[in-house]
Amino acid sequence: MTVSTDSGAAADVAAPGGGGAAHRSQPWLAVAALILGLALGVAAGLLIPRLGHPGNSSVEAGFLRDMSTHHAQAVEMSMIAHADSANPRIVTLAGDIALTQHGQIGYMQAWLRDWDLSPTGTDAPMAWMPDASGSVVNGLMPGMATPEQLDALRKATGNTLDVQFLTLMRAHHLGGIHMAQEAIELSDDKNVDWLAQTMVSGQQGELALIDTLLKELQPA
């Protein structure tokens, strides 16, 4: 900017009624407008991502919470078999299931935290899935083992342990696949869809191995 050294020009600007005040106020108005615009932009940046996150009663939140609980039981059963089975193939399968599903629980709980949601909700199990009330039996989601079945698994040994574990895990996987497929259909979140599809693919592959092992281990 060129600064005038003309004393007359300076006097005209400084003189009352000469428009000097109006000229001096314009930069302040511009600064104020800039600050207001930045403030609104920051507020929008903070608000829009939150509005984009699934809500507390969303399909995504319900699925992640329920599947975390579902996975936790699979991890528990797998750790029992991993610790007590004498069959190397059962030990390997159980270890794979425990590690995979424990890792997926980590994803699900992290997303819930990122969305500022509680890891557990107040909705009934499967409330996120339409017409799913009939699939919940005694509070248990599809495929989940009863407390009595878990207790029997803990006490079992040898071939009985292996067959019980495979049988329970087969039902557990079928229930989990059903839930994950429904989540894919209902969810609009690409990350949730990706994880659910990973669950479907992985558990379908494990089901094939479970069926093979059951045929070998069950008495004729």
Side-chain angles (χ1 to χ4, degrees):
M1 180 179 68
T2 302
V3 178
S4 174
T5 58
D6 184 351
S7 59
D12 289 340
V13 172
H23 284 291
R24 286 195 301 273
S25 67
Q26 288 177 359
W28 289 105
L29 288 174
V31 171
L34 178 61
I35 293 173
L36 178 60
L38 289 173
L40 291 174
V42 170
L46 293 174
L47 180 61
I48 290 173
R50 289 179 180 270
L51 292 176
H53 289 164
N56 191 55
S57 298
S58 65
V59 167
E60 291 81 5
F63 170 69
L64 296 186
R65 288 164 173 159
D66 282 353
M67 190 57 82
S68 291
T69 300
H70 204 271
H71 271 24
Q73 188 184 77
V75 172
E76 180 183 2
M77 293 192 298
S78 296
M79 293 306 296
I80 293 171
H82 187 269
D84 297 339
S85 177
N87 187 319
R89 290 182 295 173
I90 300 294
V91 172
T92 298
L93 173 63
D96 288 345
I97 293 172
L99 287 173
T100 298
Q101 299 208 13
H102 187 271
Q104 291 173 347
I105 290 172
Y107 274 111
M108 295 187 284
Q109 293 297 299
W111 288 339
L112 288 169
R113 288 195 300 271
D114 288 346
W115 301 342
D116 292 328
L117 300 179
S118 170
T120 58
T122 57
D123 292 337
M126 307 295 290
W128 56 273
M129 186 191 299
D131 303 321
S133 58
S135 62
V136 178
V137 180
N138 296 324
L140 296 174
M141 289 174 280
M144 290 187 70
T146 66
E148 293 76 18
Q149 289 172 322
L150 287 175
D151 187 55
L153 181 65
R154 295 186 190 99
K155 296 175 181 177
T157 59
N159 191 71
T160 301
L161 166 65
D162 295 339
V163 171
Q164 285 186 6
F165 167 70
L166 293 172
T167 301
L168 292 176
M169 192 56 69
R170 186 180 191 281
H172 205 275
H173 273 11
L174 289 173
I177 289 171
H178 172 63
M179 292 169 63
Q181 287 174 332
E182 287 294 315
I184 294 169
E185 291 293 323
L186 298 171
S187 173
D188 294 323
D189 187 284
K190 63 180 181 179
N191 289 322
V192 172
D193 290 346
W194 164 78
L195 184 60
Q197 185 58 60
T198 299
M199 293 174 185
V200 171
S201 301
Q203 292 184 31
Q204 285 177 338
E206 289 168 349
L207 275 176
L209 177 56
I210 287 172
D211 287 343
T212 297
L213 290 172
L214 278 172
K215 288 179 182 179
E216 295 176 3
L217 296 176
Q218 284 179 317

